[in-house]
Amino acid sequence: MLLSLALYGMLLAAQAQPEGQSAAIEPAHRRNPVYEEALRTGLEIDGRANPLPSPILRDGMDAAAERAALLRVAGSERALADLLRDSVTAPYILKVRDKKAKDATIRLVDLWFVVRADLDALDPAEVAGQSSAKPVEAGNMRFESRLLADDELKAKGKAAAHGRDLSRWYVAITSVLLDRIELHAIDEAVATRSAQSMVIGARTDSGFGADANRWRNVGRDADDGAFRAFQGGLSYTKVSRLKDPAGALLVEFHAAFSEPEAWFRGAPILRSKFSLIAQDQIRSLRRELLRNRPKGAATSSGAR
């Protein structure tokens, strides 16, 4: 389910990042081209770059620097304590920004939350396989994903990779948004791992043909039913091991996607569902991790 937050990126500064942004990436994650693109240029629309923000935590931070970074996001000591609480219902922090583009709005999403899990035991490619073809419903929206097989990839000159420190896979996603928009897209996902963190980058892949990434109206206001091109999205999820409290992981999710003006005439109807979707997915993830927690592992009184 960690992966779902990245791959359902539309649930999944108008200038380039300052020079040297790529150099700030930890060595283990420099092999992740999607992550590097997300920080360097981000989602390019109308020839303009929309880079995603850098993660607040970097490998090698000491405990004081880590806490200071968390406090900046949480806003207060009390809010930080609540964010770090070992509970299915612990809060998350969600920020959404918009940028106007030609005939579209670029939605930029930033999300932070904490879970209890063993970072070394997390295998994003395995989770992707388990979630393949299992529908996810939240906020009157439905998402289905399917891992592309090796023969499908070979036909397009692509290949999956299944390593512990570097893995790559491709997912075909079908979505129905608010009973009004039918959306199809193919995402490339790349995961890299260091001793202290894991990064999953995902981006809409244009290398599968003109019909791979498309949308159409299907609701009451449906027009001729014709498909139109979808410009896509880009996201990354970074999971970092926290020094305090022990056993806690910070999950940072940052995404940008292009919402055509024709979907909702620019109204923030889809945007208004982001919080509901985040809450649903985060709580589902925490429940799953709690079920898989080794017997005898420490839990707080609010964990359940």
Side-chain angles (χ1 to χ4, degrees):
M1 296 303 291
L2 280 172
L3 177 66
S4 68
L5 291 170
L7 295 185
Y8 304 143
M10 59 206 65
L11 262 205
L12 246 92
Q15 56 187 6
Q17 288 279 67
E19 191 173 346
Q21 173 68 69
S22 296
I25 300 176
E26 298 94 335
H29 300 309
R30 289 177 192 163
R31 297 172 296 167
N32 192 325
V34 183
Y35 182 44
E36 188 170 23
E37 178 185 342
L39 297 181
R40 185 180 66 251
T41 60
L43 183 65
E44 291 194 74
I45 300 291
D46 301 334
R48 302 180 69 182
N50 297 278
L52 300 183
S54 298
I56 64 168
L57 296 188
R58 283 183 47 79
D59 292 1
M61 275 184 167
D62 61 26
E66 180 182 279
R67 185 169 184 84
L70 291 168
L71 186 58
R72 284 193 294 272
V73 170
S76 70
E77 290 286 354
R78 181 174 180 178
L80 177 55
D82 208 19
L83 183 71
L84 296 173
R85 185 162 47 89
D86 184 7
S87 171
V88 168
T89 60
Y92 55 89
I93 297 171
L94 175 67
K95 298 180 180 180
V96 183
R97 299 164 287 126
D98 295 339
K99 289 185 180 181
K100 295 302 296 181
K102 182 180 179 182
D103 300 324
T105 298
I106 301 171
R107 307 287 189 194
L108 298 112
V109 182
D110 304 309
L111 174 68
W112 297 268
F113 63 96
V114 174
V115 298
R116 263 60 175 182
D118 179 2
L119 178 65
D120 295 333
L122 297 179
D123 185 340
E126 180 180 336
V127 175
Q130 292 173 350
S131 63
S132 182
K134 294 181 181 179
V136 173
E137 296 191 29
N140 198 25
M141 291 187 273
R142 180 183 176 90
F143 304 90
E144 294 184 33
S145 64
R146 179 181 66 83
L147 281 177
L148 297 188
D150 289 342
D151 57 345
E152 295 177 280
L153 298 177
K154 186 176 181 180
K156 297 295 183 180
K158 300 178 182 293
H162 306 287
R164 175 166 176 78
D165 296 329
L166 173 65
S167 56
R168 174 183 278 106
W169 62 97
Y170 295 82
V171 181
I173 300 171
T174 298
S175 310
V176 178
L177 310 178
L178 304 177
D179 298 322
R180 294 171 62 175
I181 305 297
E182 177 185 332
L183 176 66
H184 301 267
I186 294 180
D187 276 10
E188 174 193 16
V190 179
T192 48
R193 182 190 296 272
S194 72
Q196 293 179 278
S197 64
M198 179 173 64
V199 169
I200 306 167
R203 60 186 171 193
T204 305
D205 195 314
S206 59
F208 287 85
D211 293 335
N213 305 306
R214 65 197 191 279
W215 69 272
R216 67 176 177 177
N217 286 311
V218 294
R220 291 178 302 174
D221 299 328
D223 41 28
D224 57 6
F227 279 103
R228 296 168 173 79
F230 176 55
Q231 294 190 75
L234 176 72
S235 72
Y236 78 84
T237 301
K238 185 174 186 183
V239 186
S240 301
R241 198 192 312 268
L242 294 179
K243 291 180 172 61
D244 185 25
L249 303 176
L250 176 71
V251 182
E252 301 186 57
F253 172 68
H254 302 278
F257 71 94
S258 174
E259 180 183 312
E261 187 80 13
W263 281 11
F264 306 106
R265 298 178 182 176
I269 296 175
L270 183 59
R271 169 179 168 157
S272 68
K273 300 293 183 178
F274 290 173
S275 183
L276 177 63
I277 292 168
Q279 176 177 283
D280 178 83
Q281 290 294 288
I282 292 169
R283 290 185 178 182
S284 293
L285 169 62
R286 286 173 173 157
R287 291 189 186 100
E288 181 180 340
L289 293 172
L290 186 59
R291 285 194 299 269
N292 295 331
R293 188 176 295 184
K295 292 182 179 180
T299 60
S300 71
S301 59
R304 297 180 185 278

